[in-house]
Tab-separated table of all heavy atoms in Angstrom:
chain	number	residue	atom	x	y	z
A	389	ARG	N	66.013	121.423	-158.926
A	389	ARG	CA	64.820	122.193	-158.589
A	389	ARG	C	65.193	123.588	-158.100
A	389	ARG	O	64.587	124.587	-158.497
A	389	ARG	CB	64.005	121.438	-157.530
A	389	ARG	CG	62.910	122.258	-156.828
A	389	ARG	CD	61.928	122.881	-157.784
A	389	ARG	NE	61.235	121.889	-158.566
A	389	ARG	CZ	60.443	122.182	-159.583
A	389	ARG	NH1	60.276	123.442	-159.953
A	389	ARG	NH2	59.834	121.236	-160.261
A	390	SER	N	66.224	123.667	-157.256
A	390	SER	CA	66.656	124.962	-156.733
A	390	SER	C	67.206	125.854	-157.844
A	390	SER	O	66.877	127.048	-157.921
A	390	SER	CB	67.720	124.759	-155.649
A	390	SER	OG	68.189	125.989	-155.163
A	391	MET	N	68.026	125.286	-158.730
A	391	MET	CA	68.595	126.073	-159.824
A	391	MET	C	67.525	126.521	-160.816
A	391	MET	O	67.542	127.658	-161.285
A	391	MET	CB	69.688	125.258	-160.539
A	391	MET	CG	70.959	125.089	-159.740
A	391	MET	SD	72.316	124.312	-160.687
A	391	MET	CE	71.719	122.631	-160.898
A	392	VAL	N	66.593	125.618	-161.134
A	392	VAL	CA	65.516	125.986	-162.063
A	392	VAL	C	64.695	127.141	-161.493
A	392	VAL	O	64.330	128.087	-162.211
A	392	VAL	CB	64.616	124.771	-162.343
A	392	VAL	CG1	63.328	125.197	-163.036
A	392	VAL	CG2	65.353	123.748	-163.205
A	393	SER	N	64.422	127.108	-160.192
A	393	SER	CA	63.603	128.148	-159.565
A	393	SER	C	64.332	129.487	-159.481
A	393	SER	O	63.709	130.543	-159.620
A	393	SER	CB	63.187	127.708	-158.154
A	393	SER	OG	62.439	126.515	-158.207
A	394	SER	N	65.654	129.436	-159.273
A	394	SER	CA	66.392	130.685	-159.029
A	394	SER	C	67.058	131.257	-160.275
A	394	SER	O	67.059	132.479	-160.474
A	394	SER	CB	67.449	130.458	-157.941
A	394	SER	OG	68.345	129.422	-158.316
A	395	ILE	N	67.609	130.405	-161.140
A	395	ILE	CA	68.352	130.924	-162.294
A	395	ILE	C	67.848	130.388	-163.632
A	395	ILE	O	68.389	130.715	-164.677
A	395	ILE	CB	69.871	130.627	-162.163
A	395	ILE	CG1	70.128	129.133	-162.014
A	395	ILE	CG2	70.468	131.395	-160.996
A	395	ILE	CD1	71.604	128.760	-161.915
A	396	GLY	N	66.813	129.531	-163.610
A	396	GLY	CA	66.229	129.034	-164.845
A	396	GLY	C	66.775	127.677	-165.262
A	396	GLY	O	67.882	127.291	-164.875
A	397	TRP	N	65.980	126.965	-166.070
A	397	TRP	CA	66.377	125.611	-166.473
A	397	TRP	C	67.601	125.613	-167.369
A	397	TRP	O	68.374	124.644	-167.372
A	397	TRP	CB	65.215	124.895	-167.161
A	397	TRP	CG	64.757	125.520	-168.448
A	397	TRP	CD1	63.824	126.501	-168.604
A	397	TRP	CD2	65.217	125.195	-169.775
A	397	TRP	NE1	63.666	126.824	-169.937
A	397	TRP	CE2	64.497	126.030	-170.681
A	397	TRP	CE3	66.137	124.288	-170.285
A	397	TRP	CZ2	64.688	125.980	-172.058
A	397	TRP	CZ3	66.326	124.233	-171.661
A	397	TRP	CH2	65.619	125.066	-172.529
A	398	GLU	N	67.822	126.706	-168.117
A	398	GLU	CA	68.985	126.755	-169.007
A	398	GLU	C	70.292	126.723	-168.215
A	398	GLU	O	71.204	125.947	-168.519
A	398	GLU	CB	68.941	128.011	-169.880
A	398	GLU	CG	67.725	128.093	-170.790
A	398	GLU	CD	66.601	128.921	-170.184
A	398	GLU	OE1	66.527	128.972	-168.931
A	398	GLU	OE2	65.809	129.499	-170.940
A	399	TRP	N	70.377	127.571	-167.180
A	399	TRP	CA	71.602	127.596	-166.374
A	399	TRP	C	71.735	126.333	-165.522
A	399	TRP	O	72.845	125.908	-165.217
A	399	TRP	CB	71.652	128.854	-165.510
A	399	TRP	CG	72.289	129.996	-166.234
A	399	TRP	CD1	71.690	131.081	-166.790
A	399	TRP	CD2	73.692	130.134	-166.502
A	399	TRP	NE1	72.611	131.896	-167.402
A	399	TRP	CE2	73.863	131.342	-167.237
A	399	TRP	CE3	74.826	129.374	-166.216
A	399	TRP	CZ2	75.109	131.792	-167.668
A	399	TRP	CZ3	76.069	129.819	-166.650
A	399	TRP	CH2	76.193	131.006	-167.368
A	400	ALA	N	70.617	125.738	-165.164
A	400	ALA	CA	70.680	124.471	-164.437
A	400	ALA	C	71.367	123.407	-165.298
A	400	ALA	O	72.221	122.644	-164.813
A	400	ALA	CB	69.269	124.021	-164.057
A	401	LEU	N	71.027	123.366	-166.595
A	401	LEU	CA	71.670	122.420	-167.504
A	401	LEU	C	73.153	122.743	-167.681
A	401	LEU	O	74.003	121.845	-167.713
A	401	LEU	CB	70.972	122.437	-168.864
A	401	LEU	CG	69.587	121.792	-168.945
A	401	LEU	CD1	68.987	121.991	-170.335
A	401	LEU	CD2	69.660	120.293	-168.625
A	402	ARG	N	73.485	124.040	-167.804
A	402	ARG	CA	74.893	124.424	-168.014
A	402	ARG	C	75.762	124.034	-166.822
A	402	ARG	O	76.860	123.469	-166.991
A	402	ARG	CB	74.985	125.927	-168.267
A	402	ARG	CG	74.403	126.364	-169.608
A	402	ARG	CD	74.258	127.866	-169.703
A	402	ARG	NE	73.433	128.241	-170.855
A	402	ARG	CZ	72.641	129.288	-170.895
A	402	ARG	NH1	72.552	130.110	-169.853
A	402	ARG	NH2	71.924	129.545	-171.977
A	403	ILE	N	75.293	124.319	-165.629
A	403	ILE	CA	76.085	124.000	-164.433
A	403	ILE	C	76.239	122.493	-164.289
A	403	ILE	O	77.332	121.988	-163.971
A	403	ILE	CB	75.426	124.621	-163.189
A	403	ILE	CG1	75.517	126.155	-163.260
A	403	ILE	CG2	76.083	124.107	-161.909
A	403	ILE	CD1	74.723	126.874	-162.193
A	404	THR	N	75.165	121.749	-164.540
A	404	THR	CA	75.237	120.287	-164.450
A	404	THR	C	76.213	119.728	-165.482
A	404	THR	O	77.008	118.822	-165.188
A	404	THR	CB	73.845	119.665	-164.666
A	404	THR	OG1	72.925	120.230	-163.724
A	404	THR	CG2	73.895	118.163	-164.474
A	405	GLY	N	76.189	120.268	-166.710
A	405	GLY	CA	77.111	119.818	-167.742
A	405	GLY	C	78.561	120.055	-167.374
A	405	GLY	O	79.424	119.188	-167.581
A	406	LEU	N	78.860	121.222	-166.817
A	406	LEU	CA	80.231	121.528	-166.405
A	406	LEU	C	80.688	120.618	-165.268
A	406	LEU	O	81.858	120.204	-165.223
A	406	LEU	CB	80.328	122.993	-165.987
A	406	LEU	CG	80.186	124.024	-167.124
A	406	LEU	CD1	80.124	125.442	-166.559
A	406	LEU	CD2	81.342	123.899	-168.118
A	407	LEU	N	79.774	120.268	-164.361
A	407	LEU	CA	80.121	119.345	-163.275
A	407	LEU	C	80.459	117.956	-163.827
A	407	LEU	O	81.395	117.302	-163.349
A	407	LEU	CB	78.965	119.243	-162.287
A	407	LEU	CG	78.811	120.393	-161.287
A	407	LEU	CD1	77.522	120.239	-160.489
A	407	LEU	CD2	80.010	120.440	-160.335
A	408	ILE	N	79.713	117.509	-164.831
A	408	ILE	CA	79.999	116.202	-165.435
A	408	ILE	C	81.399	116.185	-166.042
A	408	ILE	O	82.175	115.237	-165.852
A	408	ILE	CB	78.943	115.862	-166.512
A	408	ILE	CG1	77.593	115.591	-165.860
A	408	ILE	CG2	79.385	114.661	-167.342
A	408	ILE	CD1	76.470	115.361	-166.841
A	409	VAL	N	81.754	117.244	-166.766
A	409	VAL	CA	83.089	117.321	-167.373
A	409	VAL	C	84.160	117.290	-166.294
A	409	VAL	O	85.132	116.517	-166.375
A	409	VAL	CB	83.217	118.596	-168.230
A	409	VAL	CG1	84.651	118.758	-168.712
A	409	VAL	CG2	82.263	118.545	-169.415
A	410	ALA	N	84.013	118.112	-165.268
A	410	ALA	CA	85.032	118.225	-164.222
A	410	ALA	C	85.230	116.910	-163.476
A	410	ALA	O	86.367	116.441	-163.285
A	410	ALA	CB	84.649	119.340	-163.245
A	411	ILE	N	84.140	116.273	-163.067
A	411	ILE	CA	84.247	115.044	-162.268
A	411	ILE	C	84.762	113.885	-163.123
A	411	ILE	O	85.612	113.093	-162.672
A	411	ILE	CB	82.879	114.718	-161.632
A	411	ILE	CG1	82.588	115.731	-160.524
A	411	ILE	CG2	82.856	113.298	-161.085
A	411	ILE	CD1	81.243	115.577	-159.868
A	412	SER	N	84.312	113.780	-164.362
A	412	SER	CA	84.766	112.684	-165.228
A	412	SER	C	86.264	112.780	-165.508
A	412	SER	O	86.989	111.782	-165.442
A	412	SER	CB	83.994	112.693	-166.548
A	412	SER	OG	82.623	112.520	-166.335
A	413	VAL	N	86.731	113.985	-165.816
A	413	VAL	CA	88.155	114.166	-166.116
A	413	VAL	C	89.000	113.938	-164.870
A	413	VAL	O	90.070	113.315	-164.933
A	413	VAL	CB	88.401	115.567	-166.706
A	413	VAL	CG1	89.890	115.850	-166.826
A	413	VAL	CG2	87.725	115.696	-168.074
A	414	CYS	N	88.539	114.402	-163.719
A	414	CYS	CA	89.314	114.261	-162.476
A	414	CYS	C	89.449	112.802	-162.041
A	414	CYS	O	90.509	112.388	-161.558
A	414	CYS	CB	88.663	115.074	-161.358
A	414	CYS	SG	88.888	116.860	-161.510
A	415	PHE	N	88.386	112.022	-162.202
A	415	PHE	CA	88.418	110.640	-161.717
A	415	PHE	C	88.801	109.630	-162.796
A	415	PHE	O	88.980	108.449	-162.490
A	415	PHE	CB	87.058	110.265	-161.118
A	415	PHE	CG	86.829	110.834	-159.741
A	415	PHE	CD1	86.143	112.025	-159.582
A	415	PHE	CD2	87.315	110.194	-158.618
A	415	PHE	CE1	85.937	112.569	-158.318
A	415	PHE	CE2	87.117	110.716	-157.354
A	415	PHE	CZ	86.426	111.914	-157.204
A	416	SER	N	88.949	110.066	-164.033
A	416	SER	CA	89.300	109.131	-165.105
A	416	SER	C	90.629	108.404	-164.877
A	416	SER	O	90.747	107.235	-165.278
A	416	SER	CB	89.314	109.856	-166.455
A	416	SER	OG	90.282	110.889	-166.477
A	417	PRO	N	91.659	109.030	-164.232
A	417	PRO	CA	92.907	108.269	-164.019
A	417	PRO	C	92.737	107.007	-163.176
A	417	PRO	O	93.552	106.086	-163.271
A	417	PRO	CB	93.812	109.289	-163.306
A	417	PRO	CG	93.316	110.615	-163.768
A	417	PRO	CD	91.836	110.453	-163.872
A	418	LEU	N	91.704	106.947	-162.358
A	418	LEU	CA	91.476	105.755	-161.534
A	418	LEU	C	90.870	104.608	-162.330
A	418	LEU	O	90.925	103.451	-161.906
A	418	LEU	CB	90.539	106.083	-160.366
A	418	LEU	CG	91.033	107.089	-159.328
A	418	LEU	CD1	89.952	107.323	-158.274
A	418	LEU	CD2	92.315	106.599	-158.660
A	419	MET	N	90.304	104.914	-163.498
A	419	MET	CA	89.521	103.931	-164.258
A	419	MET	C	90.426	103.052	-165.117
A	419	MET	O	90.365	103.051	-166.348
A	419	MET	CB	88.478	104.649	-165.107
A	419	MET	CG	87.594	105.600	-164.316
A	419	MET	SD	86.563	104.752	-163.120
A	419	MET	CE	85.322	104.098	-164.205
A	420	LYS	N	91.264	102.296	-164.468
A	420	LYS	CA	92.263	101.467	-165.143
A	420	LYS	C	91.781	100.025	-165.249
A	420	LYS	O	91.185	99.479	-164.324
A	420	LYS	CB	93.578	101.517	-164.360
A	420	LYS	CG	94.709	100.710	-164.964
A	420	LYS	CD	95.952	100.820	-164.089
A	420	LYS	CE	97.095	99.975	-164.656
A	420	LYS	NZ	98.300	100.034	-163.785
A	421	LYS	N	92.043	99.408	-166.397
A	421	LYS	CA	91.703	98.001	-166.571
A	421	LYS	C	92.679	97.126	-165.793
A	421	LYS	O	93.876	97.381	-165.768
A	421	LYS	CB	91.744	97.622	-168.056
A	421	LYS	CG	90.610	98.191	-168.881
A	421	LYS	CD	90.701	97.788	-170.334
A	421	LYS	CE	91.773	98.582	-171.070
A	421	LYS	NZ	91.724	98.401	-172.523
A	422	ARG	N	92.156	96.079	-165.156
A	422	ARG	CA	93.015	95.111	-164.471
A	422	ARG	C	93.500	94.046	-165.445
A	422	ARG	O	94.641	93.589	-165.378
A	422	ARG	CB	92.240	94.457	-163.326
A	422	ARG	CG	92.992	93.320	-162.642
A	422	ARG	CD	92.260	92.822	-161.404
A	422	ARG	NE	92.898	91.637	-160.872
A	422	ARG	CZ	92.439	90.400	-161.011
A	422	ARG	NH1	91.306	90.188	-161.667
A	422	ARG	NH2	93.083	89.377	-160.496
A	423	ILE	N	92.620	93.641	-166.359
A	423	ILE	CA	92.929	92.585	-167.323
A	423	ILE	C	92.766	93.152	-168.725
A	423	ILE	O	91.727	93.736	-169.041
A	423	ILE	CB	91.987	91.380	-167.145
A	423	ILE	CG1	92.081	90.835	-165.717
A	423	ILE	CG2	92.297	90.299	-168.164
A	423	ILE	CD1	91.039	89.801	-165.393
A	424	HIS	N	93.775	93.019	-169.553
A	424	HIS	CA	93.699	93.461	-170.940
A	424	HIS	C	93.234	92.279	-171.787
A	424	HIS	O	94.024	91.407	-172.166
A	424	HIS	CB	95.056	93.987	-171.411
A	424	HIS	CG	95.489	95.220	-170.695
A	424	HIS	ND1	95.124	96.489	-171.084
A	424	HIS	CD2	96.235	95.385	-169.575
A	424	HIS	CE1	95.638	97.384	-170.264
A	424	HIS	NE2	96.308	96.732	-169.330
A	425	LEU	N	91.938	92.256	-172.033
A	425	LEU	CA	91.347	91.144	-172.771
A	425	LEU	C	91.707	91.214	-174.252
A	425	LEU	O	91.842	92.297	-174.820
A	425	LEU	CB	89.830	91.159	-172.609
A	425	LEU	CG	89.297	91.001	-171.182
A	425	LEU	CD1	87.791	91.203	-171.169
A	425	LEU	CD2	89.656	89.634	-170.614
A	426	ALA	N	91.843	90.055	-174.853
A	426	ALA	CA	92.071	90.003	-176.298
A	426	ALA	C	90.818	90.474	-177.029
A	426	ALA	O	89.713	90.436	-176.493
A	426	ALA	CB	92.421	88.578	-176.712
A	427	ARG	N	91.014	90.951	-178.259
A	427	ARG	CA	89.860	91.398	-179.041
A	427	ARG	C	88.891	90.237	-179.247
A	427	ARG	O	89.285	89.122	-179.547
A	427	ARG	CB	90.317	91.944	-180.398
A	427	ARG	CG	91.131	93.222	-180.281
A	427	ARG	CD	91.387	93.814	-181.659
A	427	ARG	NE	92.153	95.050	-181.558
A	427	ARG	CZ	92.425	95.842	-182.582
A	427	ARG	NH1	91.997	95.515	-183.792
A	427	ARG	NH2	93.115	96.953	-182.422
A	428	ARG	N	87.616	90.546	-179.099
A	428	ARG	CA	86.606	89.507	-179.210
A	428	ARG	C	86.497	88.993	-180.645
A	428	ARG	O	86.592	89.748	-181.597
A	428	ARG	CB	85.225	90.051	-178.828
A	428	ARG	CG	85.124	90.672	-177.506
A	428	ARG	CD	83.689	91.190	-177.332
A	428	ARG	NE	83.694	92.557	-176.829
A	428	ARG	CZ	82.609	93.296	-176.741
A	428	ARG	NH1	81.460	92.824	-177.133
A	428	ARG	NH2	82.679	94.520	-176.276
A	429	GLU	N	86.255	87.692	-180.770
A	429	GLU	CA	85.927	87.146	-182.085
A	429	GLU	C	84.531	87.605	-182.493
A	429	GLU	O	84.240	87.805	-183.664
A	429	GLU	CB	85.999	85.622	-182.047
A	429	GLU	CG	87.413	85.086	-181.822
A	429	GLU	CD	87.437	83.582	-181.817
A	429	GLU	OE1	86.359	82.968	-182.045
A	429	GLU	OE2	88.502	83.001	-181.606
A	430	LYS	N	83.639	87.771	-181.501
A	430	LYS	CA	82.270	88.215	-181.757
A	430	LYS	C	81.999	89.468	-180.938
A	430	LYS	O	82.173	89.455	-179.723
A	430	LYS	CB	81.271	87.122	-181.373
A	430	LYS	CG	81.447	85.809	-182.123
A	430	LYS	CD	80.448	84.775	-181.621
A	430	LYS	CE	80.623	83.449	-182.347
A	430	LYS	NZ	79.673	82.426	-181.822
A	431	ILE	N	81.582	90.543	-181.624
A	431	ILE	CA	81.206	91.751	-180.896
A	431	ILE	C	79.994	91.463	-180.017
A	431	ILE	O	79.927	91.856	-178.853
A	431	ILE	CB	80.891	92.906	-181.879
A	431	ILE	CG1	82.121	93.211	-182.737
A	431	ILE	CG2	80.443	94.147	-181.124
A	431	ILE	CD1	83.314	93.702	-181.972
A	432	ILE	N	79.000	90.782	-180.595
A	432	ILE	CA	77.828	90.332	-179.848
A	432	ILE	C	77.696	88.831	-180.063
A	432	ILE	O	77.766	88.346	-181.191
A	432	ILE	CB	76.542	91.048	-180.318
A	432	ILE	CG1	76.670	92.560	-180.122
A	432	ILE	CG2	75.336	90.531	-179.559
A	432	ILE	CD1	75.481	93.342	-180.644
A	433	ASP	N	77.504	88.086	-178.983
A	433	ASP	CA	77.423	86.633	-179.063
A	433	ASP	C	75.959	86.204	-179.264
A	433	ASP	O	75.244	85.909	-178.302
A	433	ASP	CB	77.993	86.013	-177.781
A	433	ASP	CG	78.157	84.511	-177.908
A	433	ASP	OD1	77.743	83.951	-178.939
A	433	ASP	OD2	78.696	83.890	-176.973
A	434	PHE	N	75.514	86.189	-180.529
A	434	PHE	CA	74.123	85.843	-180.816
A	434	PHE	C	73.849	84.363	-180.574
A	434	PHE	O	72.678	83.962	-180.502
A	434	PHE	CB	73.779	86.204	-182.270
A	434	PHE	CG	73.657	87.677	-182.511
A	434	PHE	CD1	74.676	88.379	-183.144
A	434	PHE	CD2	72.532	88.370	-182.100
A	434	PHE	CE1	74.564	89.749	-183.372
A	434	PHE	CE2	72.412	89.736	-182.321
A	434	PHE	CZ	73.429	90.425	-182.949
A	435	SER	N	74.890	83.558	-180.431
A	435	SER	CA	74.669	82.136	-180.156
A	435	SER	C	73.986	81.935	-178.812
A	435	SER	O	73.350	80.895	-178.584
A	435	SER	CB	76.003	81.382	-180.177
A	435	SER	OG	76.847	81.814	-179.112
Side-chain angles (χ1 to χ4, degrees):
R389 166 56 60 188
S390 178
M391 288 188 291
V392 167
S393 300
S394 58
I395 57 179
W397 63 272
E398 299 96 332
W399 272 105
L401 287 175
R402 290 168 193 148
I403 292 171
T404 304
L406 291 173
L407 281 173
I408 291 175
V409 173
I411 289 177
S412 299
V413 171
C414 286
F415 283 95
S416 62
L418 296 178
M419 307 295 283
K420 181 181 178 182
K421 288 180 284 191
R422 174 173 173 256
I423 302 171
H424 295 274
L425 299 173
R427 293 188 179 186
R428 305 178 228 172
E429 294 181 3
K430 300 177 181 178
I431 300 297
I432 300 176
D433 190 355
F434 288 103
S435 65

